[in-house]
Amino acid sequence: MPIPPRSADAALVLFSGGQDSATCLAWALSAHARVETVGFAYGQRHAVELACRAPLRAGMAALHDWGARLGPDHLIDIGPGLAALGETALTSEAAIALGADGLPTTFVPGRNLLFLTYAAALAYRRGLRRIVAGVCETDYSGYPDCRDDTIKAMQLALNLGMQRRFVLETPLMWLDKAETWALADRLGGTALTGLIEEASHSCYLGDRTHRHPWGYGCGSCPACDLRRAGWERWRARG
Ligand code: ZN
């Protein structure tokens, strides 16, 4: 997605601490006048990703004029409800595999729908019009709540249900993982791609002990595979 001229609007970025949401935060800091971030604790198996959020925010605040545009961070604990509803590989020790319904066991039903609803409630209170999410239909993990149609339907539901004109923005929707790295490069050069390599987290196993050129991770789970393959394709394109 081309980087639009900067708007005067304020935005809220769903910011988990992963590669995609980190790239989205950089995109939003380029695209909007004021940017706040929100993260969610939902009983996930590993809190590693959440611990990556502060270093990523601090690193981005040092780039361009982004420090002046970066507003407060919000962490919402939505409690054990999602994890209590059923076993998924992100909220329990269930194995990471493809389930009988064709969806990976890392799929947490309703998670993104809840996140968007909480984010909109926060945006309502904070007076933020744009809600930015790093969901993607191209290289995605097969999650139906990452699809463009799901996001468009959520925008309509949230605007009707809260009587607002929120705009849900998904700058990564049609990018593959190599293009996501390339977007970060365009937004902030090697200072940003280096920050994302070092400080963002993707690995489903929460591994921060093995450092690869593309970042930390076990190197073999589906999230590591996707991240490494995208990084290698991006680097190969030069
Ligand atoms: Zn991994």
Side-chain angles (χ1 to χ4, degrees):
M1 172 181 275
I3 302 161
R6 187 172 272 165
S7 80
D9 283 350
L12 179 65
V13 178
L14 277 73
F15 182 54
S16 67
Q19 177 196 347
D20 289 346
S21 72
T23 306
C24 275
L25 176 55
W27 180 87
L29 287 163
S30 294
H32 301 307
R34 190 163 63 85
V35 177
E36 300 186 11
T37 52
V38 62
F40 299 96
Y42 60 97
Q44 56 264 66
R45 195 162 74 168
H46 305 289
V48 171
E49 217 183 25
L50 291 178
C52 293
R53 299 171 74 252
L56 281 168
R57 278 175 47 95
M60 284 191 220
L63 296 174
H64 304 301
D65 62 348
W66 293 352
R69 299 174 181 277
L70 183 57
D73 181 40
H74 311 271
L75 185 66
I76 300 177
D77 187 345
I78 63 175
L82 265 182
L85 281 173
E87 290 209 335
T88 81
L90 289 195
T91 54
S92 74
E93 296 300 319
I96 297 172
L98 208 59
D101 55 3
L103 291 172
T105 53
T106 48
F107 176 59
V108 183
R111 179 179 58 171
N112 281 347
L113 306 180
L114 276 177
F115 287 179
L116 287 167
T117 304
Y118 275 102
L122 177 63
Y124 184 105
R125 293 286 174 219
R126 302 284 305 166
L128 310 168
R129 181 160 178 263
R130 314 268 184 152
I131 298 170
V132 184
V135 290
C136 167
E137 196 170 305
T138 309
D139 238 2
Y140 76 145
S141 309
Y143 300 156
D145 54 356
C146 292
R147 290 184 294 205
D148 193 48
D149 284 351
T150 305
I151 300 300
K152 285 186 163 65
M154 279 303 287
Q155 175 174 299
L156 184 60
L158 293 169
N159 283 332
L160 287 172
M162 297 192 194
Q163 204 163 315
R164 280 290 187 274
R165 296 303 295 171
F166 293 122
V167 180
L168 268 55
E169 297 184 316
T170 55
L172 311 185
M173 182 59 76
W174 307 111
L175 304 185
D176 64 24
K177 282 281 182 278
E179 291 167 332
T180 298
W181 282 109
L183 173 61
D185 198 11
R186 287 213 310 283
L187 290 166
T190 52
L192 181 60
T193 56
L195 175 69
I196 292 173
E197 286 161 2
E198 176 64 25
S200 78
H201 188 82
S202 301
C203 177
Y204 283 147
L205 303 184
D207 187 326
R208 295 292 291 175
T209 58
H210 297 96
R211 178 63 154 94
H212 313 272
W214 42 269
Y216 292 93
C218 71
S220 54
C221 75
C224 282
D225 281 344
L226 204 56
R227 179 168 169 140
R228 178 187 54 242
W231 187 90
E232 287 174 351
R233 284 204 314 278
W234 164 60
R235 294 302 294 244
R237 288 172 193 173

